[in-house]
Amino acid sequence: MEREVRTRFAPSPTGYMHIGNLRTALYGYLIAKSHNGKFILRIEDTDQKRYVENSVEVIYKSLKMAGLQHDEGPDVGGDFGPYIQSERKPIYMEYAKKLVELGEAYYCFCSQERLAQLKENSEGEGPGFKYDRHCLGLSREEIEKKLSDNEPFVIRQKMPDEGTTSFEDVVYGTLTVENSQLDDQVLIKSDGLPTYNFANVIDDHLMKITHVVRGNEYLSSTPKYNLLYRAFGWDIPTYIHLPPVMKNATQKMSKRSGDPSFEDLISMGYLAEAVVNYVALLGWSPGTTQEVFSLKELEQVFSLSGLSKSPAIFDILKLNWLNGEYIRKMTVEEFHEKAKPFYEGVINRRDVDLRKVSKVLQARTEVLSAIPGQVDFVDRLPDYDTALFVHKKMKTTRENSMENLEKALPVLEGITDWNEKEIHDALMELVQTLGIKNGQMLWPIRTAITGKEVSPGGAIEIADILGKEETIRRIKTGIEKLSREVQGGAG
């Protein structure tokens, strides 16, 4: 009978979910779901120095925003708990002592001072510091005496002295290391807590994890994990080591360098679904030209064969495009709900129908955080240069812009029922009467009422949003500005 596929996401509670973390969680989730398996959340908090207050809640919140519902975890329970490593402390000591009995590990009572001196002495002797096995030869009596005297200790893994250790990785293939290069790593620290390297092996076995997804920085540690699995006689999981997510060809993405976390991207106005879709494509290809995937679609098409060993470059422009695609797939009402927080403090006029603003913006917005800069003209006409009226393609100059605004003014003042259709019909009739191109009328109006080179909508849509009184007031301002320029130029 085939084993149930079980994957895990095992973050450390350090305060945020960076993009590499999110990708690891996503791929683990997709491997499980594409095989009708289980996705488990485990909190790896054995490094208490790195613990950040409330960061477990950040993990829950981030997974929920991303739509990655775990089947087992600290908050939902399961048959293999506890799912927080610090609550599993007795388990690790039990298994470490078993390894000592098997001759695969040993007690080490060396002081921090001795280890520091050893490390200092070894500098210049080649790469990597290796413990000198000073405590390996201690007799059973010596060990028991030190333990009964409550001397601080760690438990170290005893590495083979010769031969090689190989392992298979889905992404990188077969990798082999010389056992002589492996250090006798610490399994249990002096505070009784396990090291990451030991705890994740014990937990992965006890939680029946079949596929381990993690960053390629753990490739060098994997032979040590396999030696632990073999010492216990346990099945070795399928390894999937992922190359890093890079900000450019030479630098990894890093929160410390100011690169955005998942939460940062959401607060910047990216949609969670778009970010998840984009992150799925950072190192994985569906084998087709399709780029827009819902999470449900990813569950159906995800395959390990699509993973790449090349580092993925995080391209913000590509994310912008993809986010724009998701925005355009929303209903106007859905978009309006997302856009509303970005109007606050920017559009304060109570007579403006914000739904009309959203309708205009939706087709022209890629990232929600760009909204304030697109609509800042609604409350107040910015100070602008009349050079904006000059447009080669529209065939507008300051002179004909002023003339056409002067002709449009009484027509707009005569509209009694102010709405898009009435504004459109009145201006198009005027354009026909004057025998000019649409742009020669609409460009000057749009410029006069927005004061911007680029705006989220055309003259008619924006006039409708601003209302009759404000539109006419701004057109008069435009005429005055142009008049001063044109007369000044003539003078």
Side-chain angles (χ1 to χ4, degrees):
M1 182 178 163
E2 199 172 317
R3 280 200 303 169
E4 177 185 58
V5 169
R6 290 173 61 84
T7 65
R8 48 72 164 177
F9 177 51
S12 297
T14 53
Y16 57 88
M17 173 96 73
H18 62 66
I19 296 303
N21 281 149
L22 177 60
R23 184 182 62 168
T24 300
L26 175 61
Y27 286 179
Y29 173 88
L30 293 175
I31 290 165
K33 296 307 163 187
S34 62
H35 290 88
N36 296 314
K38 294 282 197 314
F39 175 60
I40 291 96
L41 173 65
R42 185 172 75 225
I43 304 298
E44 302 203 333
D45 63 343
T46 56
D47 188 348
Q48 294 291 303
K49 293 190 203 102
R50 294 178 65 217
Y51 181 81
V52 175
E53 199 69 37
N54 298 322
S55 51
V56 175
E57 283 67 34
V58 171
I59 292 165
Y60 295 150
K61 183 183 170 189
S62 297
L63 288 175
K64 188 174 181 182
M65 279 195 297
L68 308 182
Q69 177 60 53
H70 46 285
D71 301 291
E72 298 170 25
D75 54 335
V76 296
D79 295 334
F80 301 93
Y83 293 91
I84 295 178
Q85 282 188 336
S86 59
E87 296 174 13
R88 298 170 64 82
K89 186 175 174 180
I91 297 171
Y92 308 121
M93 184 62 82
E94 177 194 338
Y95 279 96
K97 286 179 177 176
K98 272 188 190 175
L99 278 180
V100 172
E101 288 168 20
L102 291 166
E104 301 285 348
Y106 59 95
Y107 289 96
C108 173
F109 298 91
C110 290
S111 66
Q112 289 299 317
E113 291 75 21
R114 182 180 187 276
L115 293 172
Q117 187 62 54
L118 195 64
K119 189 171 185 180
E120 190 180 317
N121 294 345
S122 71
E123 285 173 9
E125 292 180 11
F129 161 70
K130 281 184 69 177
Y131 175 62
D132 65 355
R133 292 185 164 176
H134 176 73
C135 292
L136 180 58
L138 291 174
S139 67
R140 183 182 289 270
E141 292 75 27
E142 286 175 301
I143 293 167
E144 286 176 0
K145 172 79 167 58
K146 288 177 181 290
L147 291 175
S148 65
D149 290 344
N150 292 320
E151 278 195 37
F153 69 88
V154 300
I155 295 179
R156 290 182 179 273
Q157 183 179 359
K158 183 179 178 295
M159 297 299 177
D161 296 317
E162 52 192 34
T164 60
T165 297
S166 298
F167 69 95
E168 293 292 324
D169 182 76
V170 168
V171 177
Y172 290 90
T174 305
L175 289 99
T176 303
V177 298
E178 297 286 334
N179 290 333
S180 59
Q181 295 176 0
L182 301 176
D183 180 36
D184 286 1
Q185 66 174 347
V186 172
L187 304 178
I188 299 289
K189 296 178 287 188
S190 57
D191 61 4
L193 283 168
T195 57
Y196 168 85
N197 287 333
F198 187 53
N200 83 74
V201 168
I202 302 302
D203 290 342
D204 285 346
H205 170 73
L206 294 179
M207 294 180 185
K208 300 187 184 300
I209 302 302
T210 59
H211 294 67
V212 172
V213 184
R214 59 183 168 224
N216 69 356
E217 65 269 26
Y218 294 106
L219 278 170
S220 61
S221 300
T222 303
K224 301 173 186 179
Y225 303 151
N226 276 13
L227 288 167
L228 288 170
Y229 280 109
R230 287 173 192 161
F232 286 118
W234 295 341
D235 289 337
I236 292 171
T238 299
Y239 293 120
I240 302 107
H241 287 90
L242 305 174
V245 178
M246 310 288 285
K247 66 192 292 182
N248 53 44
T250 57
Q251 290 176 290
K252 282 186 188 182
M253 281 193 81
S254 161
K255 178 78 174 169
R256 276 186 228 106
S257 304
D259 298 315
S261 67
F262 177 51
E263 269 195 302
D264 291 336
L265 289 172
I266 303 306
S267 66
M268 287 159 64
Y270 291 92
L271 303 176
E273 304 95 311
V275 176
V276 169
N277 185 160
Y278 180 63
V279 167
L281 301 172
L282 287 173
W284 173 80
S285 168
T288 65
T289 56
Q290 184 177 344
E291 291 186 292
V292 181
F293 292 92
S294 67
L295 187 57
K296 193 54 71 179
E297 287 172 322
L298 285 170
E299 290 173 25
Q300 291 161 359
V301 302
F302 188 81
S303 162
L304 290 174
S305 61
L307 293 173
S308 168
K309 66 170 73 169
S310 301
I313 305 285
F314 185 87
D315 181 353
I316 198 75
L317 295 178
K318 179 73 176 286
L319 176 57
N320 289 351
W321 168 80
L322 194 56
N323 202 64
E325 293 295 300
Y326 273 81
I327 282 175
R328 278 173 274 294
K329 282 164 68 178
M330 301 168 100
T331 65
V332 176
E333 195 53 45
E334 285 170 338
F335 176 74
H336 180 62
E337 286 305 308
K338 293 282 186 185
K340 273 199 300 191
F342 294 89
Y343 298 143
E344 288 173 19
V346 184
I347 301 179
N348 298 302
R349 287 178 52 195
R350 295 193 176 181
D351 59 328
V352 170
D353 185 343
L354 293 177
R355 278 179 174 73
K356 287 184 178 181
V357 179
S358 294
K359 189 179 172 187
V360 168
L361 278 175
Q362 187 174 3
R364 299 167 175 90
T365 301
E366 284 191 329
V367 185
L368 297 172
S369 57
I371 287 174
Q374 290 178 286
V375 299
D376 55 358
F377 67 88
V378 174
D379 268 18
R380 187 182 63 81
L381 182 67
D383 188 23
Y384 64 91
D385 193 304
T386 57
L388 287 181
F389 287 100
V390 181
H391 197 296
K392 196 173 179 182
K393 191 177 172 187
M394 299 291 179
K395 295 186 166 50
T396 59
T397 63
R398 287 183 175 88
E399 288 77 13
N400 65 19
S401 290
M402 186 175 77
E403 288 169 20
N404 292 330
L405 286 176
E406 286 174 334
K407 284 168 182 159
L409 194 58
V411 170
L412 293 170
E413 286 174 327
I415 297 173
T416 52
D417 186 7
W418 189 266
N419 59 59
E420 259 189 66
K421 184 179 183 310
E422 293 294 325
I423 299 164
H424 172 274
D425 291 351
L427 289 176
M428 288 305 100
E429 188 180 333
L430 177 60
V431 163
Q432 209 165 5
T433 303
L434 296 173
I436 59 174
K437 292 186 177 295
N438 291 357
Q440 288 178 299
M441 177 61 69
L442 298 179
W443 182 263
I445 291 175
R446 191 204 63 80
T447 302
I449 63 179
T450 66
K452 292 169 79 84
E453 190 171 1
V454 179
S455 61
I460 292 163
E461 295 166 306
I462 291 170
D464 180 40
I465 288 167
L466 291 174
K468 181 176 178 179
E469 186 182 325
E470 183 65 12
T471 297
I472 287 166
R473 188 185 71 76
R474 292 186 182 196
I475 287 175
K476 285 178 177 176
T477 299
I479 293 169
E480 286 171 23
K481 272 178 168 279
L482 285 165
S483 176
R484 283 196 299 271
E485 286 281 330
V486 170
Q487 288 172 5

